[in-house]
Amino acid sequence: MKNFLLKYKLLSGLIGIILLIGVSLAGIYLASFLLGPPALKAEQNTIYYSAADTVIGEETGAESRYWVGLDEMSPYFKQAILAIEDQEFYEHNGFDYSRIAAAVLENVKNMSLEEGASTLTQQYARNLFLSFEKTWTRKVKEAFYTVRLEMYYSKDELLEGYLNTIYYGHGAYGIEAASRHFFNKSADELTLAEAAMLAAIPKGPTYYSPFNNLENATRRQQQILYEMKEQNVINEQEYFLATHAKLNYAEPSKQTKKVIAPYFLDTVLLEAANKLDLDREKVRSGGYKIFTTLNVGMQQKLKKEVTETVNPSSSIQLGAVGMDPENGAIRALVGGRDYSESSFNRATNAKRMAGSAFKPFLYYAALRHGYTPTTMLMSKPTAFKLSDGKVYQPSNYNGYYAYKPITLAQALALSDNVYAVKTNLYLGVNKLIDSARKFGIDSKLPPVPSLALGTASVTVENMVTGYGILANGGERIKGHTITKIIDRNGDVVYDAPNEEGKQILDKETAFILTDLMKGMFDHSLDGYMSVTGSPIADRLTRDYAGKSGTTASDSWMIGYSPNLVTGVWVGYDDNRELDKAAENRYAKDIWAGFMEAAHTELPKVDVDVPKGVVGAWVDPVSGGLATPYCPSGTLMYFEKENVPAKHCDTHLPEDGNEKVKDKEPSKDEHKKGVFERIFDYLF
């Protein structure tokens, strides 16, 4: 009796499931019938918008879309597509149940949706009406549209629509556009070998394009020809001739459609592909609306500065990024001199040595470990004996030295290399690495003394993000170009989180360091040479903090206000040396021109002095509090407990007709601080 009841329950449950499936299918078919035939054509252009919601770019539109009938296509192409994509196309009702069952088992086994079993009708439904995200919801919608297509259109109509809308990369949609682009001929003129090659591309337009990767494309073409032979679509002779045919490709077009910010849009495309977990070509052809962070006015100003500053006959290159330090939104980006000549993005992809532009990360660590703006260290040629027995001897620019102790404020303003290396060795090189990581620098950082002088390779975007963290007072930000993505159905598929940045730097230290970095434009800090910002200081009408950097083959300028942080790198792609004086000025000139132009539309922002920080007028030579006898005084900021206790004793009042002559300093006057004594002993 128990067995009977168990069998009855199982049978009842099975019948219930079958009835539920039947009712569901009936509902789908009834709804499909009532909704009528869906359109067979759909525009799929992805459109890019600026921060002000104006169109700044669009993937290639109708000029690369041609609709041709099945009788206007090479029969070889239709055969090739069916052989590799959907052998049972003319027999099934839109679904290949055996393939679906195998795919479901594989997906359940792997707990994913990676394995697909889509027929051409399902692919067509997805291309026309859906986005490409791999979710169960999308798959249900895909099935619904597949039923509607199969219900109202013939197989030939569906095949014709599919072949006219699939994407081949390079802005070409459909077989006619692809045939013209790759072989400079109409679709009805394709040979068997050419047809098989074009049939290879839609699976991955970037990966299988012969213009991008001929080896991958040829391997898939050969696979398609083999499948056609195995299915008796072609004979052995046709197979042999096609697999050995030499394909004559059209010359790839080098013309680039004029867009406002081509390097920026490339960055957007890559970021969108990562956010949506899609191939870039699927984003391009997916009909998305992508809202970006670009400020069109700033972008035009940055491009104008580049064009007007750099000698047009030079082959020198550059990368530049303008970013909002409050949230990491990239407002302007230039990845090279001419996108039509080179699409390589030097702002986001080129890793170059940062030179002295890396020093702020060092001095943040120093300020956190006992240094103050008036910490004095000797500036003179110094050889450092390292723990492995090797000797390292850095040099200053053009061999200039103070030959006396200088303050941290002056060392940063003059970019004194000996001061920086002494500091790095005193702190321990790992302190600098830890500090750089706080600023978001994710490149490989060698634990060597020269890291203080920027011997690590970094990107412009990475450095600008790091400086942006200083500019906002120490809150974490991540450089980004996208605020929102809407799919072709109007659904928001990505919305950038609007979160308050996490405080990752000490606010007081960040404020003090920012003030110190203003010193590169402050002539009161001139010493054994002029401050490094001297060439552009008289062009600046706002209060900026910044740092330049120079290596044999790299020139950097990065700086910021509370509104905007901008970095510019200049150099040659082949790493040749910058041997012309003008080449070393480009980065500063572009930066200054852009920052001034950009700030005409930005409000002035006053930054409050944090609690626990006080200002004091200091003599930049002695590091003591300035007196009426000092030729100049510089306002510097200190944590309360670190304000200098002594007044300047270098600049003294006149005694009669003569200045007080140098005398042997008293024991008290000669007393040195802990850092001076340590370094005098070690170095």
Side-chain angles (χ1 to χ4, degrees):
M1 188 68 178
K2 286 184 179 179
N3 288 338
F4 174 77
L5 289 173
L6 181 61
K7 288 179 181 179
Y8 177 77
K9 288 180 180 179
L10 289 173
L11 183 60
S12 299
L14 182 60
I15 292 171
I17 292 171
I18 292 172
L19 286 173
L20 179 61
I21 293 173
V23 170
S24 299
L25 288 174
I28 290 173
Y29 276 89
L30 178 60
S32 298
F33 175 77
L34 293 174
L35 287 170
L40 289 180
K41 295 182 182 180
E43 287 296 303
Q44 303 178 54
N45 296 351
T46 285
I47 302 172
Y48 304 97
Y49 297 85
S50 72
D53 294 346
T54 59
V55 176
I56 56 173
E58 183 173 356
E59 298 299 346
T60 307
E63 65 271 21
S64 289
R65 299 177 193 266
Y66 307 89
W67 193 282
V68 294
L70 283 178
D71 58 347
E72 298 174 272
M73 303 178 195
S74 164
Y76 292 128
F77 180 72
K78 292 176 284 185
Q79 294 165 350
I81 281 287
L82 291 174
I84 195 65
E85 294 289 348
D86 194 350
Q87 300 171 28
E88 307 297 326
F89 175 72
Y90 279 96
E91 280 70 49
H92 62 61
N93 66 347
F95 305 97
D96 188 329
Y97 296 107
S98 61
R99 290 173 62 196
I100 289 173
V104 168
L105 287 174
E106 190 64 27
N107 286 333
V108 170
K109 179 181 175 182
N110 297 324
M111 297 298 291
S112 73
L113 293 176
E114 294 300 318
E115 197 67 30
S118 298
T119 63
L120 288 189
T121 313
Q122 287 175 276
Q123 292 180 45
Y124 191 22
R126 183 166 63 243
N127 290 343
L128 286 175
F129 307 112
L130 303 168
S131 57
F132 294 91
E133 69 271 18
K134 295 176 180 177
T135 64
W136 291 111
T137 301
R138 196 269 291 162
K139 288 186 177 292
V140 171
K141 290 180 180 178
E142 180 185 294
F144 179 70
Y145 282 113
T146 299
V147 170
R148 290 180 65 193
L149 289 171
E150 288 278 348
M151 181 178 288
Y152 285 100
Y153 296 103
S154 70
K155 288 291 187 178
D156 281 351
E157 287 175 313
L158 294 177
L159 182 59
E160 179 181 300
Y162 174 79
L163 297 179
N164 276 292
T165 55
I166 50 177
Y167 186 58
Y168 288 84
H170 309 283
Y173 294 82
I175 180 56
E176 181 67 16
S179 184
R180 295 185 189 192
H181 182 78
F182 289 98
F183 295 111
N184 198 26
K185 59 172 65 174
S186 295
D188 61 354
E189 300 174 314
L190 292 170
T191 67
L192 173 57
E194 292 167 342
M197 177 58 77
L198 292 185
I201 299 172
K203 181 177 175 65
T206 299
Y207 190 75
Y208 291 112
S209 165
F211 288 169
N212 293 343
N213 193 318
L214 183 58
E215 183 181 348
N216 289 342
T218 303
R219 189 185 306 115
R220 183 161 170 80
Q221 179 223 30
Q222 301 286 306
Q223 178 191 355
I224 292 171
L225 290 168
Y226 178 78
E227 290 292 336
M228 294 175 75
K229 177 177 73 73
E230 289 296 296
Q231 296 167 34
N232 296 316
V233 175
I234 60 175
N235 58 37
E236 288 284 353
Q237 183 180 10
E238 289 175 310
Y239 173 72
F240 178 83
L241 292 174
T243 53
H244 290 80
K246 186 179 187 312
L247 300 183
N248 296 313
Y249 294 103
E251 188 71 26
S253 174
K254 291 186 178 179
Q255 292 185 342
T256 303
K257 187 178 178 181
K258 285 284 185 184
V259 293
I260 294 172
Y263 292 103
F264 178 84
L265 292 183
D266 279 356
T267 307
V268 172
L269 179 60
L270 180 59
E271 187 175 325
N274 290 333
K275 296 296 183 187
L276 300 176
D277 192 23
L278 294 177
D279 180 88
R280 275 175 280 184
E281 298 301 346
K282 287 184 178 179
V283 176
R284 293 185 64 197
S285 60
Y288 294 98
K289 292 181 178 179
I290 302 179
F291 293 85
T292 77
T293 59
L294 188 78
N295 181 305
V296 174
M298 287 187 185
Q299 178 67 29
Q300 291 171 334
K301 289 177 173 68
L302 180 57
K303 183 62 180 173
K304 179 175 180 285
E305 287 300 324
V306 171
T307 303
E308 294 182 354
T309 301
V310 181
N311 185 339
S313 64
S314 172
S315 61
I316 203 167
Q317 283 292 351
L318 57 87
V321 172
M323 181 184 290
D324 184 338
E326 284 302 306
N327 52 28
I330 295 176
R331 301 303 186 193
L333 185 150
V334 172
R337 297 271 302 284
D338 188 339
Y339 186 85
S340 64
E341 292 294 324
S342 170
S343 61
F344 178 66
N345 193 333
R346 296 158 188 84
T348 60
N349 297 330
K351 288 194 171 185
R352 306 291 296 226
M353 285 200 293
S356 292
F358 208 75
K359 288 177 181 175
F361 310 142
L362 169 70
Y363 291 130
Y364 176 82
L367 290 168
R368 295 295 298 152
H369 288 83
Y371 276 55
T372 76
T374 55
T375 296
M376 307 282 285
L377 296 179
M378 179 64 72
S379 169
K380 67 179 181 180
T382 307
F384 299 91
K385 189 172 181 180
L386 308 180
S387 58
D388 59 4
K390 295 181 180 178
V391 175
Y392 174 56
Q393 185 165 355
S395 60
N396 279 352
Y397 180 71
N398 282 342
Y400 295 153
Y401 301 90
Y403 292 97
K404 62 181 181 180
I406 60 173
T407 62
L408 169 57
Q410 199 168 49
L412 186 54
L414 306 183
S415 201
D416 192 285
N417 288 338
V418 173
Y419 193 110
V421 173
K422 282 184 176 183
T423 299
N424 195 25
L425 288 171
Y426 169 74
L427 296 176
V429 291
N430 287 325
K431 288 286 196 307
L432 172 53
I433 294 174
D434 292 342
S435 177
R437 298 295 184 218
K438 284 181 181 289
F439 286 87
I441 305 301
D442 54 13
S443 300
K444 184 178 180 181
L445 302 177
V448 294
S450 62
L451 182 61
L453 308 184
T455 51
S457 295
V458 291
T459 67
V460 177
E461 182 187 5
N462 212 189
M463 290 293 288
V464 169
T465 302
Y467 276 56
I469 293 171
L470 263 183
N472 68 34
E475 294 181 0
R476 176 182 288 131
I477 55 173
K478 184 174 177 60
H480 64 278
T481 62
I482 298 175
T483 57
K484 183 169 62 176
I485 303 175
I486 298 175
D487 69 12
R488 69 181 71 182
N489 299 316
D491 297 324
V492 177
V493 291
Y494 173 75
D495 201 0
N498 186 18
E499 302 174 351
E500 284 192 17
K502 179 183 177 183
Q503 192 75 32
I504 56 175
L505 301 182
D506 180 77
K507 198 166 188 176
E508 291 76 17
T509 307
F511 178 88
I512 292 169
L513 180 55
T514 287
D515 184 68
L516 287 170
M517 290 169 65
K518 296 175 183 178
M520 72 172 293
F521 308 115
D522 183 357
H523 283 292
S524 73
L525 292 171
D526 287 348
Y528 60 84
M529 59 180 287
S530 297
V531 290
T532 53
S534 293
I536 56 174
D538 60 350
R539 297 171 55 185
L540 306 180
T541 60
R542 292 282 186 103
D543 212 11
Y544 302 111
K547 187 73 188 74
S548 57
T550 304
T551 74
S553 54
D554 305 277
S555 178
W556 294 74
M557 178 62 211
I558 314 176
Y560 55 89
S561 71
N563 305 97
L564 183 66
V565 53
T566 299
V568 182
W569 165 85
V570 174
Y572 288 96
D573 286 341
D574 60 5
N575 281 299
R576 82 183 81 156
E577 291 191 5
L578 302 175
D579 55 5
K580 297 176 182 175
E583 294 176 341
N584 280 301
R585 289 198 302 267
Y586 286 153
K588 287 178 181 175
D589 287 339
I590 292 169
W591 181 88
F594 170 67
M595 289 293 275
E596 282 295 293
H599 277 79
T600 58
E601 302 174 9
L602 296 174
K604 288 190 176 181
V605 177
D606 294 322
V607 179
D608 294 332
V609 180
K611 273 188 176 181
V613 173
V614 296
W617 287 93
V618 175
D619 174 65
V621 176
S622 67
L625 295 173
T627 71
Y629 308 106
C630 296
S632 64
T634 302
L635 179 62
M636 297 184 191
Y637 287 90
F638 303 81
E639 293 188 51
K640 282 182 180 178
E641 62 273 18
N642 293 330
V643 177
K646 294 173 56 179
H647 285 80
C648 170
D649 57 6
T650 299
H651 305 101
L652 301 173
E654 293 184 355
D655 184 12
N657 294 327
E658 296 181 359
K659 290 184 179 180
V660 174
K661 295 182 180 180
D662 291 339
K663 59 180 180 178
E664 188 69 20
S666 68
K667 209 170 185 181
D668 184 64
E669 290 172 330
H670 200 66
K671 188 176 181 182
K672 295 185 177 181
V674 63
F675 292 111
E676 290 89 335
R677 286 187 279 110
I678 289 173
F679 283 114
D680 283 355
Y681 174 77
L682 291 176
F683 309 119

